[in-house]
Amino acid sequence: MTSKRDRLIGAGTQVATEVSINFGSAVAGLLIPIVGAVVVVAVRQVITAIAVLPFYRPKRRELTWRRLWPALALGIVLATMNLSFYEAVGRLGLGIAATIEFLGPFALALVGSRRLLDFACAIVAAAGVVLLTGTAGSIDVLGVVFALIAAASWAGYILLTRRVAVGLPGLEGLSVASVVATAILLPIALIVVDYSKLDLRVIALLVTAGILSSAIPYSLDTFILRRIPPRLYAIITSFGPVIAAIFGVLVLGESFTPVQVAGIVVVCLAAGVTIATQREHPRSDLETTAEGLT
């Protein structure tokens, strides 16, 4: 049983990790026009593998095909999710891309629900996305497609993480998935990168983006989830798009109309209300996945 102080520390740390993830994504947004999304994602995956492998390396004798294949599939989904998200960021901006991407886990939270409240939240969230994209002027359609692929991939990531956690507990499955994603993306990045643009400043920013988006959050997840319930973890995560939009403005110079700001907030509130008001059983997919990280 955690104390109130532990819960406050855990919640505060979770907010800090959301800040870290989205600040890292904003730094990545600066780099995408220079080196491309593939290079940014490849470096992030390398740093993820470095961050988790020393602490969550599965035992070789446990890596049977039955236990390993979900982690291999997770690696493919992880590569797809991150690459499509950063491609969306490069075309739509961080705030819009992050909001659309969050529709993936939000949709999972609604699957199978028959509550009128959840139905209303789904409609409200859809209206929020319309407000966000319908008032953006000339919206990049391909960017929206990439954001929706990222959303679907995030939903797949959650489902596969639940499956992986059964055979490879904690972050061991993620460590395998990180190796797979790195093996997919790194060769492509080495082929497409313009080496003339890789000066010390760009390399430093690439490493910084990877540390902020991967190394720090993954290293703190277990600490956080020992102190706060998975539901609170999921609720705090649901406000990630708002934090992303703030960093989009501060770091990338993005601007939003009042209507677009309302759209972002509406999506986050709809997700937060859905998760916060769900019954203890069954838990939402976001909650179950959060618990699997412990």
Side-chain angles (χ1 to χ4, degrees):
M1 187 71 178
T2 58
S3 65
K4 182 178 180 180
R5 180 174 178 275
D6 283 339
R7 289 194 296 273
L8 288 174
I9 292 173
T13 306
Q14 170 64 2
V15 172
T17 62
E18 286 298 318
V19 170
S20 178
I21 290 169
N22 288 291
F23 184 32
S25 294
V27 173
L30 295 173
L31 294 165
I32 291 171
I34 301 173
V35 297
V38 175
V39 176
V40 173
V41 177
V43 172
R44 173 176 172 172
Q45 288 306 140
V46 169
I47 292 175
T48 300
I50 293 172
V52 300
L53 274 174
F55 307 102
Y56 302 99
R57 186 170 58 248
K59 298 178 179 63
R60 186 175 300 179
R61 64 177 181 273
E62 295 178 352
L63 296 180
T64 62
W65 174 249
R66 183 177 180 181
R67 304 181 73 184
L68 190 59
W69 78 259
L72 299 178
L74 182 63
I76 296 172
V77 170
L78 188 62
T80 303
M81 178 178 71
N82 287 329
L83 183 57
S84 57
F85 174 67
Y86 281 127
E87 288 286 359
V89 169
R91 290 169 169 79
L92 301 175
L94 179 58
I96 295 177
T99 304
I100 296 175
E101 186 196 33
F102 192 74
L103 294 179
F106 178 43
L108 276 186
L110 295 174
V111 169
S113 174
R114 297 180 180 179
R115 297 191 310 167
L116 182 61
L117 176 62
D118 289 340
F119 180 71
C121 285
I123 294 176
V124 169
V129 172
V130 171
L131 290 176
L132 184 61
T133 58
T135 60
S138 180
I139 192 74
D140 189 312
V141 176
L142 185 57
V144 174
V145 171
F146 276 122
L148 290 173
I149 292 173
S153 299
W154 194 355
Y157 172 84
I158 290 172
L159 294 174
L160 281 170
T161 299
R162 296 176 65 189
R163 177 66 181 266
V164 168
V166 175
L168 298 170
L171 294 181
E172 291 181 8
L174 179 62
S175 66
V176 174
S178 297
V179 172
V180 173
T182 302
I184 293 171
L185 293 168
L186 188 56
I188 300 173
L190 292 174
I191 293 171
V192 303
V193 65
D194 184 347
Y195 289 94
S196 66
K197 295 182 178 180
L198 292 181
D199 55 27
L200 289 177
R201 172 180 167 273
V202 170
I203 293 173
L205 286 175
L206 282 168
V207 173
T208 298
I211 291 173
L212 291 171
S213 298
S214 299
I216 292 176
Y218 289 140
S219 63
L220 290 176
D221 266 338
T222 300
F223 172 86
I224 293 166
L225 286 161
R226 286 174 179 167
R227 288 163 176 80
I228 64 175
R231 175 167 296 184
L232 179 55
Y233 181 99
I235 292 171
I236 293 173
T237 301
S238 71
F239 288 93
V242 171
I243 300 173
I246 292 171
F247 280 117
V249 172
L250 296 177
V251 178
L252 301 176
E254 297 175 5
S255 59
F256 301 95
T257 66
V259 174
Q260 288 178 308
V261 172
I264 294 172
V265 172
V266 161
V267 172
C268 293
L269 286 176
V273 168
T274 295
I275 295 166
T277 59
Q278 284 181 339
R279 296 176 181 176
E280 285 299 316
H281 301 286
R283 292 175 174 177
S284 74
D285 288 282
L286 271 178
E287 291 178 82
T288 306
T289 301
E291 188 174 68
L293 291 172
T294 58

